[in-house]
Amino acid sequence: QVQLVESGGGLVQAGGSLRLSCAYSGSSIFRINVMGWYRQAPGKQRELVAQIISGGNTNYADSVKGRFTISRDNAKNTVYLQMDSLKPEDTAVYYCNAEDVRSNTYWGQGTQVTVSS
């Protein structure tokens, strides 16, 4: 099993920055090959924001390219999402996600990010 705990959300003005953290733990973390951040705004479907693959490759949604950066610290078992130049449309609940080599998917509880105009 894998447990994911997010932190770092909050309220920020447009143009500001936040860094989200996702601490992962459990007996199966050695099987994780993809970690990512998703978000869900009110009335909208959950969408992929950024992913980092075990080899270090990253993927980003077009809407956040150039503004958000995903990174992983294996020594701390933590994945980060640095969010810069935030916009009101970035307001959502952000979820940490992990996928393992057996196609199991794990989710964190979510952290609220609110960007005021």
Side-chain angles (χ1 to χ4, degrees):
Q1 290 298 315
V2 174
Q3 291 80 45
L4 305 174
V5 179
E6 302 103 333
S7 60
L11 173 64
V12 65
Q13 288 189 333
S17 298
L18 282 175
R19 189 177 79 158
L20 304 183
S21 300
C22 173
Y24 54 92
S25 61
S27 59
S28 300
I29 60 172
F30 65 95
R31 294 196 184 104
I32 295 173
N33 61 342
V34 181
M35 294 207 69
W37 289 93
Y38 287 70
R39 68 186 180 188
Q40 187 166 19
K44 295 188 177 181
Q45 289 189 329
R46 191 172 297 189
E47 63 175 0
L48 174 66
V49 176
Q51 280 183 325
I52 185 164
I53 316 302
S54 57
N57 289 338
T58 56
N59 298 313
Y60 294 93
D62 288 342
S63 59
V64 307
K65 282 181 181 176
R67 300 189 298 121
F68 291 10
T69 304
I70 188 170
S71 61
R72 180 174 178 176
D73 186 335
N74 290 329
K76 295 183 178 180
N77 289 350
T78 301
V79 173
Y80 303 98
L81 184 68
Q82 178 66 42
M83 305 186 294
D84 299 318
S85 303
L86 282 160
K87 304 176 181 180
E89 50 264 43
D90 295 318
T91 295
V93 178
Y94 284 70
Y95 296 91
C96 183
N97 167 272
E99 300 173 15
D100 70 20
V101 294
R102 295 183 177 180
S103 299
N104 295 311
T105 300
Y106 304 92
W107 293 95
Q109 81 284 357
T111 185
Q112 177 71 45
V113 171
T114 303
V115 184
S116 63
S117 57

